[in-house]
Amino acid sequence: MAILEVENLYKSFGQTQVLKGINFSLEQGQALAIIGASGSGKTTLLRCLNFLERPDQGVIRINGKVLFDAGDPATQREVEIRKKRLNFGLVFQSFHLFPQYTVLKNVTLAGELLAKEQSGRKAAQREIEEQARGLLEQMGLSEKVDAYPHQLSGGQQQRVAIARALALRPNILCFDEPTSALDPELTGEVLRVIRSLAEKKTTMVIVTHEMAFARDVADHIIFMDDGVVVEEGCPQDLISNPKEERTRQFLSRFSNESTWKQN
Amino acid sequence: MTNLSVIMARLLEAFQLNCQLFLLTLLFALPLGLVVAFGSMSRFRPLSILTKTVVWIIRGTPLMLQILIIYFAPGLLGLGSPWKAGTGGRLFAATVAFVINYACYFSEIYRGGIQGVSRGQTEAGQVLGMTKSQIFFKVTLLQVVKRILPAMANEVITLVKDTSLARIISNKEIIMMAQEYTAKGLIWPLFSTGLFFLAFVGGLTLLFNWLEKKLDYFRA
Ligand SMILES: Nc1ncnc2c1ncn2[C@@H]1O[C@H](COP(=O)(O)OP(=O)(O)OP(=O)(O)O)[C@@H](O)[C@H]1O
Ligand SMILES: [Mg+2]
């Protein structure tokens, strides 16, 4: 059974229809890449999954259970939305680390606050910190645990943001163009980290403009245009042999050599 | 010589009223300003319009006028004066006027500071499952404090000097005290009141510089 099912998702901002009936599903342990032109609604889709926007229509299911149903107010209560969010993690394009906290504290803060609400404080504290150190080591940031965000490069900041999102053990980790805000020479280190997460079978939704990366890392790929899923399939097939004209047009923009080199 | 020390002692005593008014104003206006700021940022339109109008009126009229109105208007309008007769009542009335006035100024500074912190910070907290209050206290607040510190320093220093306006309803603060001597032909007490203000403001400047240094360890 799919871990995530999105059914008929609609979202408008005022008069602008941004999502016009999005459908897809995702299996446990798989990486889904979403590609599409600027303004096609990719960010809006991720924001809906993370309850930063409320869809006008549609259903979101996790492991077959309804997480959100636009037609059922009982699935939209504020208190529960907070908990439901924890099914997802979100890595933003521009990191949004908390500037006043060290790298370690950035990773532990949310977990500490949750633990405090649930009691069991002292024991949890040590566990949370150990887990955070482990994650940061995995991100290659062991030496930076006591640094502040402004002392890090963009690539390092984004890796901290990934560790921060992983610390709450989300079922599904979402990335919104995780390398778009980075200097070209820094994208590699972030893509490598995401690639290693894919190898560990982390369930992920990755919005990206890095076509080679999407082709090599994703298990499944979706091409979005103008608020709908135009085409989806196995990344190799879709990228090398698109069926839809719109997909072909979009991909032709990435046809120069450098886009396809391995990261 | 004794004359000098007697007069200085009396000026110092009068300056305590300035200090009292200063501290009371900060004590109440700092938190009240936050309430006003949230009011003016409210998504409930009538509340934000009402709050913004009040802030506009308070910031658009002289503090001296506000003190006079708050002190005299209730009695003269036949509502019965809420202020007790005597020094206590007059200080109380002045404090109320100062608190309202400064809360409005602080609210605008807070508002700018809060709106200046990127939406991304709030959203980062939200996706990590934090509550609204956790986000405000653990994520936003310190960034806001850092951003508004220079503007707050200005405002607080202005407050020190504004406290002398309380004499308009016969609160015997330091300048009013010095004027008693001016009436007797002595000018130096008036000059020396300036030293009190300078010393106080100097101390505050050091305090704010220290605070700014303290928050220098991160960028917001
Ligand atoms: N809060 C909002 N209010 C109004 N319009 C919005 C809002 N958020 C997004 N939009 C509009 O929705 C459309 C889709 O935006 P979205 O950010 O989802 O696209 P995207 O596919 O992520 O694009 P990009 O590749 O540039 O990041 C755009 O036309 C955008 O202007
Ligand atoms: Mg986007």
Side-chain angles (χ1 to χ4, degrees):
Chain A
M1 182 186 39
I3 186 170
L4 171 68
E5 291 165 279
V6 172
E7 214 178 274
N8 213 24
L9 215 62
Y10 280 80
K11 175 70 189 173
S12 304
F13 295 106
Q15 298 297 317
T16 347
Q17 273 217 339
V18 177
L19 301 181
K20 306 171 184 171
I22 298 279
N23 292 282
F24 69 88
S25 64
L26 177 61
E27 300 294 324
Q28 171 87 44
Q30 297 222 310
L32 168 70
I34 300 180
I35 58 172
S38 181
S40 55
K42 308 179 297 295
T43 297
T44 306
L45 175 59
L46 288 191
R47 290 173 62 83
C48 286
L49 293 181
N50 283 275
F51 294 89
L52 291 176
E53 309 287 353
R54 189 161 301 196
D56 304 325
Q57 268 185 64
V59 180
I60 299 171
R61 282 196 207 86
I62 289 274
N63 290 319
K65 280 205 304 210
V66 173
L67 193 70
F68 173 89
D69 180 348
D72 180 3
T75 65
Q76 302 170 27
R77 284 193 219 104
E78 197 60 44
V79 228
E80 284 158 48
I81 281 184
R82 227 189 104 212
K83 296 217 181 74
K84 290 175 177 180
R85 278 201 169 108
L86 295 175
N87 283 293
F88 297 90
L90 177 59
V91 175
F92 299 88
Q93 192 170 331
S94 40
F95 336 131
H96 299 318
L97 294 181
F98 305 132
Q100 72 268 44
Y101 293 123
T102 61
V103 163
L104 185 64
K105 186 75 179 180
N106 262 278
V107 180
T108 57
L109 180 66
E112 285 167 4
L113 292 173
L114 278 175
K116 211 182 272 182
E117 281 172 49
Q118 293 157 354
S119 78
R121 303 171 59 173
K122 268 276 143 24
Q125 171 68 37
R126 200 172 319 132
E127 222 172 274
I128 290 168
E129 193 176 315
E130 265 164 36
Q131 184 222 9
R133 285 182 190 278
L135 282 169
L136 288 166
E137 190 184 334
Q138 200 182 320
M139 299 293 136
L141 290 167
S142 290
E143 259 126 68
K144 298 293 183 185
V145 286
D146 295 320
Y148 287 90
H150 75 270
Q151 298 166 325
L152 305 181
S153 73
Q156 291 168 332
Q157 290 189 50
Q158 191 60 301
R159 284 181 283 147
V160 176
I162 295 172
R164 180 176 70 172
L166 284 168
L168 295 176
R169 300 191 179 88
N171 289 320
I172 300 159
L173 185 53
C174 304
F175 294 85
D176 189 6
E177 299 189 30
T179 58
S180 289
L182 299 177
D183 293 336
E185 71 270 22
L186 297 178
T187 60
E189 59 189 69
V190 172
L191 295 181
R192 260 194 303 281
V193 160
I194 302 174
R195 186 188 297 263
S196 79
L197 291 175
E199 279 156 10
K200 288 191 198 105
K201 298 291 167 211
T202 311
T203 314
M204 295 187 283
V205 178
I206 310 164
V207 169
T208 184
H209 286 303
E210 302 277 348
M211 292 304 144
F213 175 75
R215 181 192 59 195
D216 300 340
V217 172
D219 300 289
H220 196 78
I221 194 165
I222 282 178
F223 169 64
M224 269 177 74
D225 192 31
D226 199 20
V228 294
V229 174
V230 173
E231 188 170 349
E232 62 176 306
C234 152
Q236 309 282 345
D237 296 348
L238 187 139
I239 288 178
S240 55
N241 194 12
K243 298 202 169 47
E244 299 290 328
E245 180 55 30
R246 279 197 275 178
T247 319
R248 221 168 289 148
Q249 270 180 16
F250 173 74
L251 288 170
S252 68
R253 284 184 236 161
F254 295 90
S255 56
N256 61 337
E257 193 55 32
S258 66
T259 323
W260 297 100
K261 78 168 195 292
Q262 287 279 328
N263 272 300
Chain B
M1 192 61 220
T2 51
N3 204 15
L4 176 92
S5 57
V6 166
I7 294 178
M8 286 306 265
R10 292 200 64 198
L11 289 179
L12 182 63
E13 198 191 319
F15 194 58
Q16 282 172 14
L17 188 136
N18 299 75
C19 295
Q20 233 177 327
L21 184 55
F22 172 83
L23 289 174
L24 285 171
T25 303
L26 282 189
L27 184 66
F28 292 104
L30 287 174
L32 182 62
L34 197 57
V35 175
V36 176
F38 283 127
S40 67
M41 288 187 292
S42 167
R43 251 176 279 164
F44 181 56
R45 292 275 296 171
L47 178 61
S48 81
I49 290 173
L50 178 76
T51 318
K52 281 178 180 164
T53 310
V54 171
V55 170
W56 177 66
I57 291 171
I58 296 292
R59 296 209 311 164
T61 56
L63 174 55
M64 191 186 285
L65 176 63
Q66 292 160 19
I67 300 169
L68 289 170
I69 287 177
I70 282 179
Y71 187 59
F72 290 114
L76 294 180
L77 292 174
L79 303 169
S81 176
W83 318 115
K84 284 208 198 89
T87 51
R90 290 197 295 271
L91 179 60
F92 192 22
T95 306
V96 170
F98 270 75
V99 167
I100 293 172
N101 183 277
Y102 272 85
C104 288
Y105 276 98
F106 290 154
S107 79
E108 283 298 285
I109 296 175
Y110 291 156
R111 193 163 68 92
I114 291 170
Q115 288 175 341
V117 174
S118 90
R119 214 38 209 288
Q121 289 290 306
T122 309
E123 291 182 348
Q126 283 178 310
V127 296
L128 292 167
M130 295 185 197
T131 62
K132 277 195 179 130
S133 80
Q134 285 171 342
I135 292 170
F136 181 74
F137 287 108
K138 299 285 179 181
V139 176
T140 319
L141 185 60
L142 196 60
Q143 298 181 49
V144 173
V145 169
K146 183 181 167 91
R147 285 166 163 276
I148 67 176
L149 215 49
M152 288 300 278
N154 269 331
E155 214 52 61
V156 169
I157 284 169
T158 305
L159 170 61
V160 176
K161 295 171 287 180
D162 275 356
T163 54
S164 61
L165 289 175
R167 75 178 178 284
I168 200 69
I169 51 172
S170 304
N171 281 295
K172 206 163 200 183
E173 52 74 55
I174 189 166
I175 293 179
M176 187 160 165
M177 178 65 81
Q179 278 179 319
E180 282 184 13
Y181 295 100
T182 317
K184 292 175 193 160
L186 268 185
I187 190 64
W188 68 263
L190 199 54
F191 277 117
S192 60
T193 61
L195 298 179
F196 284 86
F197 287 102
L198 280 174
F200 199 151
V201 168
L204 284 172
T205 307
L206 290 178
L207 176 69
F208 274 104
N209 286 347
W210 177 79
L211 275 174
E212 275 180 43
K213 248 222 189 85
K214 272 267 158 196
L215 294 179
D216 223 20
Y217 73 93
F218 73 93
R219 307 254 161 84

